[in-house]
Amino acid sequence: MSLIDTVHKICHILKLPISAFEQASFLTHRLSNFIEKSALQNNEPTKITEIYKSFATAIVWITLQNEEVVSVDQYSKRDVIHAVWDFCSNSNQSVKKDDANGDEEEQDDKNSKNYNEQNYQRRVFQLEKQEMYILRLLNFDFYPIDNL
């Protein structure tokens, strides 16, 4: 999957407004040659996919900030990160119940979900680093005059 496909997939999952979708596509187009060249230096397809996911997430996050749709009511960093990665792991935990007849061990009907906050915080830190990296590549100018 290419970088632009990954960005479009994230935009679709988040149901972004069309203006944000266009801005994310514009930003991806400006950066795609550099990011794809950097990603293709890795020979492992799984690493390339993860690099694309990371950069696509940063591109969408920058776009949302530029569109000024980041707030409690609209989109947050958590929404963007969770659109790409799942931090819940299934675990079959047994629950002990004390009855009058003695201790019985029963399987929980639903698989318990354990949320991994530490992995989420790592992604937040990585997102912030990539956000600054992309902004430096753009010279902190989302809309350069020569491209308008």
Side-chain angles (χ1 to χ4, degrees), residues 127-141:
L127 175 63
E128 290 171 352
K129 284 184 359 184
Q130 288 177 330
E131 177 184 6
M132 290 306 296
Y133 181 71
I134 289 171
L135 289 172
R136 280 190 216 115
L137 285 174
L138 297 171
N139 292 324
F140 293 90
D141 188 10

Side-chain angles (χ1 to χ4, degrees), residues 60-97:
V60 170
W61 179 242
I62 291 168
T63 301
L64 289 174
Q65 292 176 60
N66 189 53
E67 278 281 303
E68 298 178 359
V69 292
V70 175
S71 71
V72 175
D73 298 332
Q74 293 180 341
Y75 299 100
S76 68
K77 197 178 289 187
R78 188 171 291 271
D79 296 332
V80 175
I81 291 173
H82 282 285
V84 181
W85 292 284
D86 182 21
F87 298 102
C88 293
S89 61
N90 289 331
S91 65
N92 292 326
Q93 295 179 348
S94 57
V95 178
K96 288 199 173 198
K97 285 190 172 182

Side-chain angles (χ1 to χ4, degrees), residues 80-128:
V80 175
I81 291 173
H82 282 285
V84 181
W85 292 284
D86 182 21
F87 298 102
C88 293
S89 61
N90 289 331
S91 65
N92 292 326
Q93 295 179 348
S94 57
V95 178
K96 288 199 173 198
K97 285 190 172 182
D98 290 331
D99 288 340
N101 299 337
D103 291 340
E104 292 181 9
E105 195 170 316
E106 295 182 8
Q107 288 288 338
D108 201 358
D109 289 341
K110 298 178 182 176
N111 286 337
S112 299
K113 297 267 186 179
N114 294 330
Y115 184 77
N116 194 334
E117 183 68 25
Q118 188 176 14
N119 284 345
Y120 169 74
Q121 291 300 328
R122 285 186 195 139
R123 288 291 180 190
V124 169
F125 180 72
Q126 183 180 10
L127 175 63
E128 290 171 352

Side-chain angles (χ1 to χ4, degrees), residues 3-17 19-28 31 35 52-70 75-77 79-85 127 130-131 134 138 142:
L3 181 63
I4 192 72
D5 292 336
T6 308
V7 169
H8 289 171
K9 181 179 177 184
I10 295 169
C11 291
H12 178 71
I13 290 170
L14 293 173
K15 298 179 180 163
L16 297 183
S19 59
F21 183 84
E22 290 172 345
Q23 285 187 17
S25 298
F26 171 71
L27 186 56
T28 303
L31 298 171
I35 294 172
Y52 283 166
K53 283 182 182 179
S54 296
F55 274 108
T57 306
I59 288 169
V60 170
W61 179 242
I62 291 168
T63 301
L64 289 174
Q65 292 176 60
N66 189 53
E67 278 281 303
E68 298 178 359
V69 292
V70 175
Y75 299 100
S76 68
K77 197 178 289 187
D79 296 332
V80 175
I81 291 173
H82 282 285
V84 181
W85 292 284
L127 175 63
Q130 288 177 330
E131 177 184 6
I134 289 171
L138 297 171
F142 195 87

Side-chain angles (χ1 to χ4, degrees), residues 3 31-42 51-52:
L3 181 63
L31 298 171
S32 64
N33 289 338
F34 178 77
I35 294 172
E36 288 178 359
K37 190 186 312 178
S38 299
L40 293 175
Q41 290 176 353
N42 291 310
I51 290 169
Y52 283 166

